Amino acid sequence: MIQPMGIRSEGLYRGGKPVRSPKYLAFIRRQASVVSGLGGCDPCHTGMHAIGQRSSDLSCIPLTRRDHDAFDADPRGFAREHGLDIPALIARFNLEFE
């Protein structure tokens, strides 16, 4: 089943307690932005959010602070504007981390 932004509901986006991984977040911070190619990135949580909660750390992609703010303001529009395949990016970073 495909959800908005092309994010699939299975796997990372299942309900339950989100995975927290400081090592994975540090790994994402060391990557270049998937939009600009610049360093100094923030881990941007891409999954379902609730008030006061973030999605799994394993759903993060590296974005500059400016791009992170733009993503948070309009995730679907941001992904569409920049041609981002969010599930593919998540899978790539998860594989590179292992």
Side-chain angles (χ1 to χ4, degrees):
M1 179 167 111
I2 301 296
Q3 297 294 322
M5 285 182 43
I7 296 174
R8 296 176 201 104
S9 60
E10 68 272 4
L12 291 174
Y13 299 103
R14 247 185 261 167
K17 188 172 180 179
V19 173
R20 297 290 170 241
S21 175
K23 288 182 181 181
Y24 188 77
L25 294 178
F27 164 76
I28 292 295
R29 284 185 189 97
R30 292 189 303 268
Q31 307 305 308
S33 168
V34 297
V35 172
S36 67
L38 297 174
C41 290
D42 289 338
C44 179
H45 291 82
T46 62
M48 305 295 264
H49 293 68
I51 295 174
Q53 292 184 326
R54 292 182 309 227
S55 61
S56 170
D57 289 348
L58 300 177
S59 72
C60 288
I61 59 172
L63 291 173
T64 62
R65 171 50 34 197
R66 181 178 177 177
D67 287 336
H68 189 159
D69 290 342
F71 179 89
D72 286 346
D74 181 14
R76 288 185 202 117
F78 185 87
R80 190 173 36 253
E81 177 183 343
H82 295 285
L84 299 179
D85 182 344
I86 301 294
L89 289 168
I90 292 167
R92 184 185 104 198
F93 287 114
N94 280 227
L95 285 173
E96 289 177 6
F97 180 68
E98 296 174 353

